């Protein structure tokens, strides 16, 4: 069965995978796997008083409230009443973004965060604040003040939760279970690809595309984990994880473009080089500006959105057209397998870009107009698009490997037709000449001439002569097992090459050839095999190239052949003198 037929039979597995994957994600992200809370636990949305500059709002629902873009120096204060419900180890939990936090219960300050960062003019990372609530504070007024330290810091106030401290953390992690699964999977998958690609690069070629695909997977996975604040719950360095979030986000376009250029050389144009230069400088420069505290790294998100959308609009149509042209040129080729690796890659990339565009549009819409601002936006579509894209990379390499194997098979088959002698299955004269033109180092050549082909053709016919050649070729394969080359250079002429020969190997193999021919002659009464062999080693004096070695081997072969003729003639004369021939003729005449 041809490989492409095998692929078409098994291509029905892809729809099953595409169906099972979303079902698995839905089950994993649903509430079926969540642990119910034992104690009181709620999200405090309603009944807040909000002050922002000269504006004051009463009875605000935080989920539906948009402050508009806040600027550096703004002060946002929210006030509410602590619910009249008790829980052991009760706490208030909320997230602050690029701002310091001060919390009062009634008129007593109970919590403060970020003043040390603000005093040094450092960027304040996203931070989850936990304020213990004793039973004596039940029913009292809680006031939370955010002092904004960056322009466009946030447009909505993050949710405020109240309940048992352990269950608050667990509930949050359960709500982010799907993001956690996708992020960790992509990071581990990227590490696996990097390990595999490093081995393949060192031992099997110079293809860097697998390394770049591992960088894509790791960047996407790390960004998903950072954006959803999941590292904040397992580490104690919010600033490091915040910087990591922006660096991985800014590195995603570069890793995708360099992967596409490495897998599709036709994209390696001057424009693509400009994009590559911009995308490699963008995360590096923003990181340098952040580390030197000249400009904080959060100011470049909008620039990234514009740059990424522009590059996608320019490069994606060109990529699609190039893949379509390649598809048309390969459609009728012998190694065409139906579904190509490029088609898988382009589908995954288009889906990923489409999902990113949705999330970018959603982010900017909520930032300007949506209820709750960006505090209630997520990257759900990007998460799924990233997972789908990385899976398409995996399938891409699977199909790419199959295409490579199929192409190698076709090439080997065509070379076999071009370099194989159709009668014997040995290498033909063209292959022997090619071999002699390229062989180097220590080797030996054996020139072989099969005897008695012409008499057999003349007396028994060419069909029997062809059988004689085939039988002799089969014996050559047995006698010279392990040889680098066994070829037929002419009608009854053969060549054997042995690389890195041991001392006396040619004599041993020729002796084995004579033994096998003797066994054949005992069994076959119609034809009789014999041959003349001459050999030469490449390390013999005055031999400079393979042609010189062959000439010496061929000369020695003709000496053996002449010796065989002399032996036959001598035997014929002895038979005449002894009367064997006349006696035989008399017997035949009677």
């Amino acid at each position: 069965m041809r490989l492409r037929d095998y692929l078409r039979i098994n291509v029905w597995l892809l729809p099953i995978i595409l169906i099972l994957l979303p079902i698995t994600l839905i089950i994993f992200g649903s509430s079926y796997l969540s642990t119910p809370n034992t104690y009181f636990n709620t999200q405090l949305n309603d009944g807040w008083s909000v002050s922002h500059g000269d504006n004051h709002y009463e009875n605000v629902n935080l989920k539906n409230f948009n402050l508009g873009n806040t600027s550096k120096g703004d002060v946002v204060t929210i006030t509410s009443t602590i619910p009249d419900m008790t829980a052991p180890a009760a706490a208030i939990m909320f997230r602050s973004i690029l701002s310091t936090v001060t919390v009062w219960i009634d008129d007593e300050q109970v919590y403060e965060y970020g003043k040390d960062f603000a005093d040094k003019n450092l960027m304040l990372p996203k931070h989850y604040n936990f304020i213990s609530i004793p039973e004596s504070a039940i029913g009292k007024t809680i006031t939370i003040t955010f002092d904004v330290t960056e322009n466009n810091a946030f447009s909505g106030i993050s949710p405020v939760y109240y309940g048992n401290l352990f269950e608050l953390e667990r509930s949050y992690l359960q709500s982010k279970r799907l993001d956690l699964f996708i992020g960790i999977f992509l990071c581990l998958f990227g590490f696996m690809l990097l390990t595999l690609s490093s081995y393949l690069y060192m031992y099997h070629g110079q293809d860097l595309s697998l390394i770049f695909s591992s960088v894509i997977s790791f960047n996407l996975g790390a960004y998903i984990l950072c954006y959803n604040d999941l590292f904040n719950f397992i580490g104690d360095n919010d600033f490091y994880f915040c910087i990591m979030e922006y660096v991985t986000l800014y590195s995603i376009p570069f890793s995708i473009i360099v992967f596409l250029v490495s897998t599709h050389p036709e994209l390696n144009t001057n424009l693509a080089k400009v994009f590559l230069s911009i995308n490699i400088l963008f995360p590096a420069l923003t990181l340098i500006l952040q580390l030197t505290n000249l400009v904080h790294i959060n100011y470049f998100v909008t620039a990234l959105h514009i740059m990424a959308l522009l590059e996608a609009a320019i490069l994606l149509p060109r990529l699609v057209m190039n893949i379509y042209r390649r598809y048309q040129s390969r459609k009728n080729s012998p190694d065409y397998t139906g579904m190509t690796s490029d088609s898988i890659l382009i589908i995954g990339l288009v889906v990923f870009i489409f999902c990113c565009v949705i999330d970018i549009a959603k982010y900017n819409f909520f930032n300007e107009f949506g209820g709750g601002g960006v505090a209630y936006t997520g990257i759900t579509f990007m998460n799924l698009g990233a997972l789908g894209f990385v899976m398409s990379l995996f399938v891409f390499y699977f199909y790419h490997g199959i295409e490579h194997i199929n192409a190698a098979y076709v090439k080997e088959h065509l070379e076999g037709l071009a370099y194989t002698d159709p009668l014997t299955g040995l290498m033909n004269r063209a292959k022997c000449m090619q071999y002699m033109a390229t062989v180097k180092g220590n080797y030996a050549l054996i020139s072989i001439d099969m005897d008695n082909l012409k008499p057999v053709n003349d007396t028994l016919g060419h069909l029997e002569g062809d059988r004689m050649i085939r039988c002799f070729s089969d014996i050559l394969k047995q006698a010279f097992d392990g040889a680098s080359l066994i070829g037929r250079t002419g009608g009854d002429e053969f060549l054997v090459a042995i690389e890195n020969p041991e001392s006396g190997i040619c004599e041993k193999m020729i002796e084995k050839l004579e033994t096998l021919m003797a066994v054949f002659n005992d069994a076959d009464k119609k034809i009789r095999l014999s041959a003349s062999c001459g050999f030469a080693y490449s390390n013999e004096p005055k031999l400079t190239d393979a042609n010189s070695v062959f000439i010496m081997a061929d000369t020695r072969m003709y000496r053996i052949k002449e010796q065989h003729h002399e032996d036959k003639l001598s035997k014929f004369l002895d038979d005449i003198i002894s009367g064997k021939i006349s006696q035989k003729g008399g017997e035949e005449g009677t």
Side-chain angles (χ1 to χ4, degrees):
M1 180 182 293
R2 297 185 64 182
L3 182 58
R4 65 181 179 185
D5 295 331
Y6 175 81
L7 284 177
R8 286 170 180 169
I9 290 174
N10 288 277
V11 76
W12 57 270
L13 290 174
L14 287 177
I16 293 180
I17 294 175
L18 295 176
I19 293 173
L20 289 179
L21 182 61
I23 291 176
T24 303
L25 294 177
I26 290 172
I27 294 175
F28 193 83
S30 66
S31 60
Y32 293 109
L33 301 179
S34 298
T35 302
N37 293 320
T38 304
Y39 306 106
F40 177 76
N41 190 326
T42 187
Q43 181 176 332
L44 305 178
N45 285 327
D46 298 318
W48 288 90
S49 297
V50 179
S51 297
H52 177 209
D54 296 331
N55 299 315
H56 185 78
Y57 310 90
E58 292 291 340
N59 198 25
V60 169
N61 183 301
L62 296 182
K63 191 174 182 179
N64 300 321
F65 183 71
N66 192 316
L67 284 168
N69 285 323
T70 53
S71 302
K72 184 176 181 179
D74 285 359
V75 177
V76 178
T77 301
I78 61 174
T79 303
S80 187
T81 301
I82 299 174
D84 191 14
M85 297 294 292
T86 60
I92 293 283
M93 182 185 82
F94 61 92
R95 181 180 66 168
S96 58
I97 304 173
L98 303 174
S99 57
T100 65
V101 177
T102 309
V103 179
W104 289 269
I105 295 180
D106 281 350
D107 295 326
E108 180 184 358
Q109 181 177 324
V110 295
Y111 178 81
E112 184 180 73
Y113 166 76
K115 295 294 185 182
D116 51 342
F117 281 88
D119 292 342
K120 297 176 183 178
N121 197 31
L122 298 176
M123 185 182 76
L124 272 82
K126 292 185 297 184
H127 180 72
Y128 276 82
N129 305 271
F130 294 88
I131 296 92
S132 297
I133 304 297
E135 289 189 21
S136 59
I138 298 299
K140 293 185 177 180
T141 301
I142 182 169
T143 302
I144 304 173
T145 299
F146 302 95
D147 290 303
V148 182
T149 60
E150 306 284 350
N151 291 324
N152 299 320
F154 57 87
S155 57
I157 301 169
S158 297
V160 180
Y161 300 92
Y162 171 72
N164 175 262
L165 177 60
F166 170 76
E167 290 187 343
L168 288 176
E169 293 179 334
R170 186 184 65 190
S171 296
Y172 178 81
L173 291 176
Q174 287 183 154
S175 69
K176 297 291 183 178
R177 183 169 50 239
L178 184 60
D179 303 307
L180 180 66
F181 168 77
I182 294 175
I184 291 178
F185 172 80
L186 292 179
C187 287
L188 293 177
F189 188 73
F191 179 77
M192 181 191 72
L193 286 180
L194 180 61
T195 304
L196 176 62
S197 62
S198 301
Y199 169 78
L200 294 176
Y201 177 75
M202 289 187 294
Y203 294 103
H204 295 284
Q206 304 296 316
D207 187 6
L208 293 173
S209 60
L210 194 60
I211 294 179
F212 296 135
S213 63
S214 70
V215 175
I216 293 174
S217 183
F218 183 81
N219 271 344
L220 291 172
Y223 175 69
I224 289 170
L225 293 175
C226 290
Y227 181 87
N228 290 282
D229 311 318
L230 293 166
F231 280 131
N232 294 7
F233 283 82
I234 61 175
D236 193 29
N237 195 331
D238 295 343
F239 182 78
Y240 171 78
F241 295 131
C242 184
I243 299 300
M244 184 178 177
E245 175 184 340
Y246 286 105
V247 170
T248 52
L249 174 64
Y250 295 165
S251 300
I252 290 173
F254 166 74
S255 57
I256 292 177
I257 291 179
V258 74
F259 167 79
L260 293 177
V261 171
S262 66
T263 53
H264 298 79
E266 63 273 11
L267 293 180
N268 191 15
T269 62
N270 291 331
L271 181 61
K273 291 177 181 178
V274 171
F275 286 157
L276 282 174
S277 301
I278 294 174
N279 281 286
I280 196 172
L281 289 174
F282 189 80
L285 290 177
T286 54
L287 180 60
I288 291 173
L289 291 173
Q290 170 63 49
L291 295 178
T292 56
N293 207 32
L294 294 176
V295 182
H296 293 168
I297 198 169
N298 59 287
Y299 285 111
F300 302 97
V301 174
T302 301
L304 175 75
H305 289 170
I306 296 173
M307 182 177 67
L309 292 175
L310 179 63
E311 291 171 353
I314 294 175
L315 291 181
L316 189 59
R318 184 172 301 181
L319 175 65
V320 173
M321 289 302 300
N322 286 330
I323 290 176
Y324 178 75
R325 293 191 191 102
R326 184 183 299 180
Y327 167 79
Q328 289 295 330
S329 64
R330 291 183 55 191
K331 190 174 181 180
N332 298 319
S333 65
D335 59 338
Y336 174 65
T337 57
M339 181 176 291
T340 65
S341 57
D342 282 334
S343 61
I344 298 294
L345 175 64
I346 198 65
I347 290 172
L349 182 60
V350 169
V351 170
F352 173 67
I353 292 176
F354 180 73
C355 291
C356 289
V357 169
I358 292 177
D359 275 335
I360 290 173
K362 185 175 67 173
Y363 175 89
N364 288 282
F365 175 81
F366 273 87
N367 188 48
E368 296 293 336
F369 311 107
V374 296
Y376 289 85
T377 62
I379 54 171
T380 307
F381 288 99
M382 180 182 172
N383 289 357
L384 298 177
L387 181 63
F389 179 51
V390 171
M391 289 296 95
S392 74
L393 290 181
F394 177 77
V395 179
F396 165 78
Y397 280 106
F398 173 74
Y399 271 88
H400 187 66
I402 291 177
E403 291 168 355
H404 177 74
I405 293 171
N406 195 32
Y409 168 78
V410 172
K411 181 180 178 182
E412 181 181 354
H413 181 68
L414 293 176
E415 287 182 349
L417 294 176
Y419 293 122
T420 302
D421 178 63
L423 179 62
T424 64
L426 302 178
M427 295 296 99
N428 60 15
R429 182 179 182 84
K431 182 63 177 180
C432 292
M433 295 303 101
Q434 183 191 69
Y435 177 85
M436 289 179 58
T438 57
V439 66
K440 294 180 181 179
N442 187 21
Y443 59 92
L445 297 180
I446 304 174
S447 178
I448 304 172
D449 188 278
M450 186 180 69
D451 298 332
N452 303 321
L453 177 61
K454 188 176 185 305
V456 171
N457 282 333
D458 293 341
T459 58
L460 301 178
H462 287 279
L463 290 178
E464 201 64 25
D466 289 347
R467 185 175 75 88
M468 183 180 184
I469 293 173
R470 286 195 297 268
C471 293
F472 183 73
S473 300
D474 292 339
I475 290 175
L476 285 181
K477 294 174 187 177
Q478 299 176 53
F480 296 98
D481 183 38
S484 301
L485 174 76
I486 305 176
R488 182 188 179 199
T489 59
D492 56 359
E493 298 174 350
F494 299 85
L495 177 68
V496 175
I498 305 169
E499 295 183 10
N500 300 314
E502 301 175 0
S503 178
I505 187 66
C506 293
E507 293 91 333
K508 293 178 182 178
M509 287 185 166
I510 292 173
E511 183 179 350
K512 184 178 180 181
L513 171 64
E514 292 174 348
T515 301
L516 291 173
M517 287 191 297
V519 173
F520 175 85
N521 292 335
D522 289 340
D524 194 303
K525 302 302 181 181
K526 200 168 186 180
I527 59 175
R528 184 177 182 83
L529 298 180
S530 65
S532 303
C533 304
F535 60 87
Y537 292 91
S538 60
N539 57 6
E540 294 189 42
K542 299 182 180 180
L543 299 182
T544 58
D545 55 21
N547 190 52
S548 300
V549 178
F550 174 74
I551 290 174
M552 178 172 283
D554 203 47
T555 301
R556 292 171 176 173
M557 182 274 293
Y558 275 107
R559 289 177 186 170
I560 300 297
K561 192 174 187 69
E562 290 174 0
Q563 184 64 46
H564 286 175
H565 287 163
E566 291 176 3
D567 292 343
K568 289 180 180 179
L569 181 59
S570 177
K571 185 175 182 300
F572 180 72
L573 293 175
D574 289 344
D575 289 343
I576 291 176
I577 294 172
S578 63
K580 290 182 179 179
I581 293 180
S582 60
Q583 180 181 355
K584 183 178 179 181
E587 292 173 353
E588 290 175 352
T590 59

